Amino acid sequence: MSKFLSEEWAAEVTAALGQHPGFKNAIGSAELGIQFEVSDGPEGDAEYYLKASGGNSIMAVGTLETPDVTVRQTYDTATAISKGELNTQTAFMTGKVKVSGNLAKLMMHQSAIQQWNLATVDLDIDY
């Protein structure tokens, strides 16, 4: 079991995405960087990112130098999305997730975001 938003968690997500045919097919060879900023967590604010390039995707804790998109959300929202209790699109439409940057590029890879949830739903995560 890995702690949510830890380096171990990021490594497990990276492995799950790399082994999930739906995600790999949806992301393809896209060049995409998404920075996530999580506020109000039990240990303060946290940052992590997803970087897809050349058919490989990496999730890591920290800051991406030049993200295409930045996603801001509270810890409660991030947890609900990770658990599958809250749909990413619903969170965006209701203002629980704030997105800045190249929204068109993010929308082009909407199916990969949906597959991401499917790829990681069975991970054993400590929230």
Side-chain angles (χ1 to χ4, degrees):
M1 178 181 295
S2 61
K3 184 162 181 57
F4 187 51
L5 304 180
S6 69
E7 289 187 19
E8 182 183 19
W9 164 80
E12 288 182 18
V13 171
T14 296
L17 295 177
Q19 297 169 1
H20 192 268
F23 179 81
K24 287 184 68 70
N25 184 54
I27 200 71
S29 60
E31 298 290 326
L32 178 66
I34 306 173
Q35 178 70 51
F36 295 89
E37 297 176 356
V38 180
S39 61
D40 304 325
E43 297 176 19
D45 295 348
E47 293 185 342
Y48 64 98
Y49 62 88
L50 175 74
K51 177 70 177 166
S53 179
N56 295 308
S57 298
I58 297 169
M59 173 78 74
V61 172
T63 304
L64 187 59
E65 190 170 323
T66 55
D68 296 300
V69 178
T70 299
V71 177
R72 292 174 184 82
Q73 59 198 318
T74 65
Y75 180 83
D76 289 342
T77 298
T79 299
I81 291 170
S82 178
K83 290 180 176 180
E85 298 170 352
L86 178 61
N87 178 285
T88 306
Q89 291 174 330
T90 301
F92 175 73
M93 297 302 273
T94 58
K96 292 180 183 234
V97 170
K98 307 284 189 214
V99 181
S100 60
N102 190 339
L103 297 178
K105 191 168 188 178
L106 182 64
M107 294 306 290
M108 285 176 21
H109 302 293
Q110 187 173 357
S111 63
I113 304 301
Q114 293 168 345
Q115 290 295 319
W116 176 349
N117 290 347
L118 294 173
T120 59
V121 71
D122 292 328
L123 295 179
D124 193 11
I125 301 170
D126 178 21
Y127 293 95

